[in-house]
Amino acid sequence: MLTEHLGRLYQVPRADPRSAERAEVALAYLRATVDRVVAAHRSGGRTDRSDLIGALVEAGQSPARIRDTVMVTRRETTEDLVLGPYEIPAGTTVFYPFWAVHLNPEHWPEPERFDPERFTPQEVAKRPRLAYVPFGIGPRSCEGAALATVEAQLVLAVLLKRLRFRPAPGHEVTPVERFVLWARDGIRTMVRPRDL
């Protein structure tokens, strides 16, 4: 569904003419599922303090508003906004292209080059805070960002201590924009034990 939406947004030609129909079916299913969850919360009460839907039900939000809040992926302007030469009226849905921000050569020289040194404290201090937003921004940013970061650091520390990773010969990594940036054919690597 999201791929179809982004394709429409960027006017990408469809490889499969049935994709729009499948996206509509998926959207209807998603809406119905969220509506059932909201209805269950309204009848049974909130049981978990971290439950977003339960909190919105308790706050007296309408079922339609709750569904829209839960399902939203882009941002909506609350007031008129001017960005450079563009005037964006209040109520406009704005899609924030995280992948494009992360490839901006103004903040990421040679953006497609793998360079872990970009994330040293000295390099991070040179960039604006919102030049790197892997978990989103604002009230709908990922609640698990801190945990995911710690987990990634721990997993990488264990793996890199024991194994060597090299790109698979002849495999080209092709980025594809989805909700997040993906590699079309994955990122294939050759793995071997480190000499201890």
Side-chain angles (χ1 to χ4, degrees):
M1 181 185 72
L2 185 59
T3 301
E4 172 66 18
H5 170 73
L6 292 175
R8 290 179 190 173
L9 185 67
Y10 293 115
Q11 300 176 352
V12 175
R14 289 191 184 98
D16 182 352
R18 296 169 298 169
S19 62
E21 182 182 330
R22 285 197 305 267
E24 289 301 323
V25 170
L27 180 59
Y29 176 79
L30 184 57
R31 285 180 173 152
T33 301
V34 173
D35 285 344
R36 283 195 302 275
V37 172
V38 171
H41 277 73
R42 291 177 73 82
S43 62
R46 183 177 174 202
T47 58
D48 182 352
R49 294 188 56 81
S50 65
D51 175 11
L52 172 64
I53 293 177
L56 293 172
V57 167
E58 279 189 4
Q61 295 289 324
S62 71
R65 177 72 175 174
I66 294 171
R67 182 186 64 216
D68 291 346
T69 299
V70 170
M71 291 180 57
V72 72
T73 57
R74 302 162 302 287
R75 301 294 190 266
E76 187 174 283
T77 56
T78 56
E79 58 188 43
D80 292 345
L81 179 66
V82 176
L83 290 176
Y86 303 100
E87 294 182 13
I88 304 171
T92 301
T93 299
V94 178
F95 178 72
Y96 192 90
F98 297 106
W99 64 273
V101 171
H102 295 162
L103 292 174
N104 181 347
E106 184 176 332
H107 304 301
W108 307 97
E110 298 180 75
E112 295 187 10
R113 182 172 58 89
F114 177 70
D115 182 8
E117 298 298 314
R118 298 179 199 271
F119 296 96
T120 63
Q122 298 81 4
E123 291 299 313
V124 169
K126 295 177 186 177
R127 289 189 297 269
R129 186 176 68 86
L130 297 180
Y132 184 63
V133 283
F135 298 102
I137 54 177
R140 291 193 179 94
S141 62
C142 177
E143 291 184 9
L147 176 62
T149 301
V150 170
E151 285 180 330
Q153 290 171 342
L154 291 174
V155 168
L156 284 172
V158 170
L159 290 178
L160 294 176
K161 181 177 180 180
R162 299 176 182 174
L163 304 168
R164 287 190 181 277
F165 296 84
R166 296 285 181 260
H171 177 68
E172 184 175 332
V173 177
T174 306
V176 176
E177 179 191 357
R178 297 272 199 258
F179 181 59
V180 294
L181 193 63
W182 290 74
R184 184 174 64 203
D185 300 313
I187 301 175
R188 299 178 191 166
T189 58
M190 305 292 288
V191 182
R192 67 179 178 83
R194 281 187 178 274
D195 298 327
L196 301 176

